[in-house]
Amino acid sequence: MNVAAIIGRPNVGKSTLFNRLLRRRKAIVDIVSGVTRDRHYGESYWNGVKFFIIDTGGYTLYSNNIIEEEMRKQIFIAIKEANSIIFMVDVTTGLIDIDIEIAKILRKEHKKIILAVNKIDSTKNIYDATYFYKLGFDKYFCISSINGSGTGDLLDELLKTFPKGKDTQKNESLPSLPKLAIVGRPNVGKSTLINTLLMENRNIVTNIPGTTRDPININYNLFGFKCILIDTAGIRKKSKLFNSNIEFYAVIRTIKSIEDADVCLLMIDATRGWESTDTNIFNIIKNNNKGILIIINKWDLVEKKTDTNNLFKNIIKNKISNFKDVPIFFISSINKKGILPMMEAAMQLAENRKLKIKTSVLNKTLLPILQNTPPPSVKGKFIKIKYCTQLPTYTPQFVFFTNFPNYIKYSYKKFIENKMRIFFKLKGIPIGIHFRKK
């Protein structure tokens, strides 16, 4: 597998180049340094060759900052994983000590290194790039991540560093894997769960809320589960959110990840319980018709009393009273308790969300129930449901044909929904029920 890592100090334009090579804005970009923290993977093509790009956080000299220390660990992991390194520097600030330090580190790894001098947006500063010859590399490439100039030559050189004859097929038929997004408030343990599932420190974990910023997609294939895991940034209250542009965009990316996912694992901190923000996140998931699984994390920190589990479940079901049929799991990410049953349920939800029910089975099952318990009459008019069928949509949507569709009340719609959940595999999946004139 061809892999290239983008390495450099903070704010030299690594994430901007990463987005350009992927042809989409996957990583958050801001003028503030240190926005990127975890390793980000993306797939790109150039001249018919497929390769993977790793975006990394900015390398800083040693400090007591716990996040910067974890970022350095992630950078070294990316260097080990890569075949080639794109070493990025900034022409506007010139050559500084940390660039020299990074060059020394990269040489020790004996990787193929391509020096990219970024932010050359015009011919005015193109000659300033010659200062970077002091780093000792044979040549450098003048690029502008923001407008794309020079990236073609850079990619031509990158392809030369890859082993010949591998990953040359541009259009491969890859299986469509279910996408599981782990969402919740900041610091509930989302990244810890990812690391536990992967059995490695894939994502940065600290006690500081908001450590994760970009959504991170991970191809997962362990313990018999094949899926794409998505670690997301925590969602705060609106009053706290708009104090930071970076956090604002992080939340927007999280909501986009919810829209792209098949199943969302809504994580709750057992020591804090269910809060109003959890209700808002739950409604976002439900309104996007995604499979929902609620996981109560840090269960090892809760004092166990009689029926503590049932007490938690009842509190949650009262908060989501309009959609109570949601699986709830109690886990401890750090102690690896309850993880595998949770994953089994999540994968089953992803499968059930694609459920297609034959029209004959629907009518044979539901019509006798609806005839025995018809909708209440309105204005002396009796409502009869004659027929039902599933719509050809990606998520479960059903249409019922009746003589007076406008007279059917919400309570009867919920009655039909509850009956469908009893007879079909629709637990934890929002379903759409529509009434049409026969």
Side-chain angles (χ1 to χ4, degrees):
M1 182 171 63
N2 298 327
V3 181
I6 306 174
I7 307 295
R9 59 184 171 82
N11 212 30
V12 294
K14 298 182 297 298
S15 294
T16 305
L17 178 62
F18 179 75
N19 289 338
R20 177 160 293 280
L21 297 183
L22 267 59
R23 299 178 178 87
R24 58 193 177 100
R25 292 179 62 86
K26 186 176 180 181
I28 296 175
V29 176
D30 195 90
I31 58 173
V32 177
S33 63
V35 172
T36 302
R37 289 174 174 174
D38 296 287
R39 309 193 312 275
H40 300 278
Y41 294 76
E43 187 178 83
S44 185
Y45 298 97
W46 184 253
N47 289 343
V49 178
K50 181 182 75 173
F51 58 95
F52 291 89
I53 294 288
I54 309 176
D55 183 24
T56 64
Y59 183 87
T60 56
L61 296 176
Y62 292 101
S63 68
N64 294 325
N65 187 305
I66 185 172
I67 291 181
E68 290 183 355
E69 177 61 29
E70 291 297 323
M71 286 168 62
R72 280 192 291 272
K73 293 179 183 178
Q74 296 290 319
I75 292 168
F76 282 109
I77 293 173
I79 293 171
K80 295 290 185 183
E81 291 180 342
N83 304 113
S84 309
I85 306 295
I86 299 175
F87 176 25
M88 184 173 283
V89 293
D90 183 350
V91 74
T92 61
T93 56
L95 181 64
I96 60 177
D97 291 343
I98 193 169
D99 294 324
I100 298 172
E101 181 69 22
I102 295 171
K104 291 178 181 178
I105 293 170
L106 294 179
R107 283 197 182 90
K108 292 178 183 178
E109 298 296 330
H110 302 291
K111 301 281 183 174
K112 297 175 181 177
I113 302 169
I114 300 173
L115 179 62
V117 183
N118 191 33
K119 301 186 183 179
I120 299 183
D121 303 321
S122 67
T123 57
K124 293 180 180 178
N125 54 3
I126 194 169
Y127 295 107
D128 295 336
T130 57
Y131 289 108
F132 291 97
Y133 271 125
K134 293 181 180 180
L135 291 172
F137 297 101
D138 293 336
K139 59 180 177 180
Y140 59 83
F141 291 84
C142 296
I143 69 167
S144 172
S145 297
I146 200 164
N147 63 35
S149 66
T151 54
D153 293 335
L154 177 72
L155 289 172
D156 286 339
E157 183 68 19
L158 180 63
L159 296 191
K160 295 177 184 178
T161 66
F162 292 143
K164 301 298 181 182
K166 292 186 178 182
D167 298 328
T168 57
Q169 297 299 320
K170 183 172 181 177
N171 297 316
E172 294 184 354
S173 56
L174 296 175
S176 179
L177 297 176
K179 296 180 180 179
L180 311 182
I182 302 173
V183 298
R185 299 190 310 267
N187 213 31
V188 295
K190 299 182 293 296
S191 295
T192 303
L193 177 58
I194 292 285
N195 290 343
T196 300
L197 287 167
L198 294 172
M199 297 187 296
E200 64 169 304
N201 292 329
R202 169 64 179 77
N203 297 342
I204 294 176
V205 176
T206 72
N207 292 325
I208 303 170
T211 300
T212 303
R213 287 171 171 171
D214 292 290
I216 302 168
N217 293 19
I218 302 163
N219 288 326
Y220 187 75
N221 186 8
L222 287 173
F223 307 107
F225 304 118
K226 292 183 179 181
C227 62
I228 296 174
L229 292 175
I230 308 173
D231 187 16
T232 64
I235 298 179
R236 298 177 186 262
K237 291 181 179 180
K238 287 184 178 179
S239 59
K240 298 181 179 179
L241 173 63
F242 292 98
N243 292 331
S244 167
N245 285 334
I246 295 172
E247 193 168 3
F248 169 76
Y249 287 115
V251 171
I252 294 299
R253 300 288 172 87
T254 297
I255 295 173
K256 182 66 169 61
S257 295
I258 292 174
E259 294 173 352
D260 293 339
D262 297 303
V263 175
C264 293
L265 284 65
L266 175 54
M267 181 175 280
I268 310 299
D269 186 336
T271 62
R272 295 176 60 184
W274 187 278
E275 298 182 0
S276 59
T277 306
D278 299 314
T279 303
N280 295 335
I281 300 171
F282 179 87
N283 289 331
I284 292 172
I285 299 170
K286 182 172 69 69
N287 293 337
N288 280 279
N289 296 315
K290 307 300 177 181
I292 307 174
L293 189 146
I294 297 175
I295 46 180
I296 314 299
N297 191 31
K298 305 182 185 179
W299 193 239
D300 55 304
L301 303 179
V302 175
E303 182 182 357
K304 306 299 189 299
K305 297 180 180 179
T306 304
D307 288 337
T308 307
N309 294 50
N310 291 331
L311 178 63
F312 255 81
K313 287 183 179 180
N314 291 334
I315 292 173
I316 291 172
K317 289 182 178 181
N318 287 333
K319 297 292 185 179
I320 56 173
S321 56
N322 60 340
F323 181 24
K324 294 182 179 180
D325 193 25
V326 178
I328 301 175
F329 284 82
F330 297 85
I331 71 166
S332 171
S333 296
I334 199 164
N335 291 337
K336 306 177 183 178
K337 302 293 185 181
I339 304 297
L340 293 183
M342 174 205 74
M343 283 295 294
E344 289 175 359
M347 295 295 290
Q348 188 61 54
L349 278 180
E351 189 65 27
N352 293 347
R353 187 168 171 265
K354 300 183 291 184
L355 182 67
K356 302 298 180 185
I357 306 172
K358 291 183 179 180
T359 301
S360 59
V361 175
L362 267 176
N363 285 275
K364 184 178 179 180
T365 305
L366 294 178
L367 286 186
I369 298 172
L370 302 183
Q371 289 169 1
N372 292 332
T373 312
S377 60
V378 178
K379 299 178 181 179
K381 296 180 180 179
F382 294 94
I383 303 169
K384 295 182 180 180
I385 296 176
K386 302 288 187 180
Y387 181 76
C388 58
T389 188
Q390 185 173 359
L391 296 174
T393 54
Y394 187 70
T395 57
Q397 303 277 334
F398 303 90
V399 61
F400 291 78
F401 294 93
T402 177
N403 51 347
F404 296 109
N406 295 333
Y407 289 169
I408 296 179
K409 297 181 179 179
Y410 177 77
S411 58
Y412 194 78
K413 179 180 177 181
K414 293 299 295 183
F415 167 76
I416 295 176
E417 180 179 328
N418 291 335
K419 291 298 180 183
M420 294 188 71
R421 294 189 185 281
I422 292 173
F423 290 100
F424 305 107
K425 296 178 180 179
L426 295 170
K427 184 176 182 179
I429 304 170
I431 60 177
I433 294 178
H434 313 278
F435 298 97
R436 297 287 183 269
K437 181 79 173 176
K438 180 171 172 60

